Amino acid sequence: MSDDEFQALAPSLQNVIDQKSLQWVFVGGKGGVGKTTTSSSLAVQMAAARKSVLLISTDPAHNLSDAFGQKFNKDPTLVSGFDNLYCMEIDPTSSIQEMIESADNSAMNSIMQDLAFAIPGVDEAMGFAEVMKLVKSMEYEVIIFDTAPTGHTLRFLSFPTVLEKALAKVSQLSGRFGPMMQQMSGMIGVNANHEDIFAKLESMRAVINEVNQQFQDPDKTTFVCVCISEFLSLYETERLVQELTNGNIDTHNIVVNQLLFPPKDSNCDQCQVRHKMQQKYLEQIFDLYEDFHVTLLPLLTTEVRGVERLKAFSRLLLEPFQPPK
């Protein structure tokens, strides 16, 4: 396609709202670039277009409660002022601990603990599976993830593969040692009930498998990258886009946040210098991501906190910001 024929994509997230087949939307990027504000604003706009929306924070430093000015926990809670927008804040690592504590007997308990320590990342992966089970049983029309900073985000998306390998190993051991464990538990008078353990792990594997397939379906899942117009953030975004592409996860939206637009007659030196630097990296973003929707958001003079401010800010995701002349 020649440059003359090339049509720049609309600089907004309207495409995400319009894609009615979407069930999962991830919002991620480097720490401190405004992921929570972006995901909360996107959820507000999504709630106007869909029957039910669930916004989940998987960042251990939960900020959704701060953004909406309302306390959330690991159960979906209706956001004040909405009848179809719910939020929950989860810690993926707490799930296996709860499973260990709720195990019916010491044999199952110790097997769970051994499994947790034997396979790196399996605690988070199992937490992820538990969350997915919970979420799938609730039947929200669309689920938006406010993810942890980039490194954690990518690990979160690799859990299906981690758990798949781990559980394949466990199932293999089950076939080899299951009968022996049953015999031993009979001898020492403890019911290890290993079938329960393997059934639980197998069901997790099934959930992870199904979710993994959905995450790799561009009709059902997309990833919105949030960045700021600086070298490190641009570098992280490129790494994120590469990893998502390698993982077959669709991404075609980038939100560039905290942009300065000083008036021409401004005598603020820092503003002018920073604006010049941001424009330099913006040019690189447009060059690198010419087949992406690039949404530009301004640096505001107030914090975006509370439902009303989020509603006002969320309009900027759909209507391109017009800098003052």
Side-chain angles (χ1 to χ4, degrees):
M1 188 187 283
S2 72
D3 285 351
D4 297 337
E5 292 172 54
F6 183 75
Q7 179 71 47
L9 295 174
S12 77
L13 292 185
Q14 186 68 53
N15 66 93
V16 178
I17 305 290
D18 291 345
Q19 192 179 332
K20 298 296 182 197
S21 63
L22 273 183
Q23 292 175 12
W24 312 90
V25 181
F26 287 87
V27 179
K30 193 171 167 288
V33 295
K35 289 186 304 297
T36 300
T37 306
T38 305
S39 58
S40 304
S41 301
L42 181 59
V44 165
Q45 286 297 336
M46 201 60 104
R50 298 289 198 100
K51 284 205 285 283
S52 56
V53 178
L54 175 64
L55 175 59
I56 301 180
S57 169
T58 59
D59 186 343
H62 297 307
N63 297 317
L64 289 185
S65 297
D66 296 332
F68 284 97
Q70 180 183 345
K71 190 76 194 109
F72 300 119
N73 55 29
K74 62 179 183 170
D75 300 310
T77 307
L78 188 64
V79 177
S80 304
F82 291 87
D83 57 9
N84 66 340
L85 174 58
Y86 298 80
C87 283
M88 64 191 281
E89 296 181 327
I90 57 153
D91 178 2
T93 55
S94 65
S95 185
I96 197 165
Q97 205 46 48
E98 284 172 20
M99 282 169 68
I100 289 169
E101 285 162 14
S102 66
D104 295 337
N105 55 57
S106 58
M108 182 166 173
N109 190 320
S110 67
I111 290 167
M112 278 297 190
Q113 271 177 317
D114 288 349
L115 181 66
F117 293 120
I119 303 157
V122 78
D123 53 347
E124 286 180 88
M126 288 168 80
F128 173 79
E130 287 292 296
V131 170
M132 287 301 139
K133 246 189 201 160
L134 176 73
V135 163
K136 278 165 76 333
S137 68
M138 293 179 195
E139 309 217 331
Y140 290 95
E141 201 181 350
V142 66
I143 290 147
I144 299 172
F145 286 91
D146 174 38
T147 65
T150 320
H152 293 283
T153 302
L154 300 177
R155 207 164 72 237
F156 193 73
L157 294 173
S158 69
F159 285 162
T161 330
V162 170
L163 207 59
E164 187 68 346
K165 286 176 187 161
L167 295 187
K169 186 81 185 142
V170 170
S171 304
Q172 195 186 340
L173 292 174
S174 159
R176 282 165 55 194
F177 300 117
M180 188 175 80
M181 279 168 63
Q182 197 64 39
Q183 223 174 348
M184 280 177 64
S185 62
M187 281 162 60
I188 55 174
V190 175
N191 178 18
N193 206 354
H194 69 281
E195 271 124 9
D196 281 0
I197 300 169
F198 293 121
K200 188 162 192 138
L201 295 177
E202 275 300 333
S203 75
M204 277 187 182
R205 186 169 74 161
V207 169
I208 285 281
N209 235 339
E210 187 187 338
V211 167
N212 203 9
Q213 283 175 348
Q214 291 189 10
F215 284 174
Q216 293 180 333
D217 180 348
D219 290 332
K220 291 186 176 170
T221 304
T222 194
F223 199 110
V224 177
C225 303
V226 185
C227 67
I228 53 178
S229 195
E230 290 180 11
F231 172 76
L232 277 180
S233 185
L234 180 55
Y235 173 78
E236 286 266 335
T237 304
E238 180 53 20
R239 194 170 72 90
L240 178 57
V241 168
Q242 293 296 334
E243 296 233 13
L244 290 169
T245 307
N246 293 340
N248 294 321
I249 292 164
D250 174 74
T251 180
H252 57 272
N253 281 281
I254 289 182
V255 173
V256 187
N257 204 1
Q258 301 174 17
L259 288 169
L260 270 175
F261 297 101
K264 287 272 193 299
D265 56 355
S266 166
N267 56 6
C268 164
D269 289 344
Q270 281 107 323
C271 306
Q272 299 291 1
V273 169
R274 200 157 184 74
H275 171 69
K276 200 172 171 185
M277 178 198 76
Q278 287 185 340
Q279 292 306 307
K280 179 179 81 173
Y281 289 116
L282 259 185
E283 280 174 29
Q284 292 182 28
I285 288 169
F286 285 124
D287 282 348
L288 272 171
Y289 306 111
E290 59 180 11
D291 53 347
F292 278 60
H293 294 267
V294 179
T295 306
L296 307 182
L297 297 176
L299 178 67
L300 302 182
T301 51
T302 54
E303 280 187 295
V304 184
R305 289 181 69 182
V307 171
E308 290 315 309
R309 281 189 177 167
L310 278 171
K311 280 182 177 173
F313 186 76
S314 72
R315 290 186 203 109
L316 295 173
L317 296 179
L318 308 188
E319 301 157 11
F321 176 71
Q322 296 300 326
K325 294 285 181 278

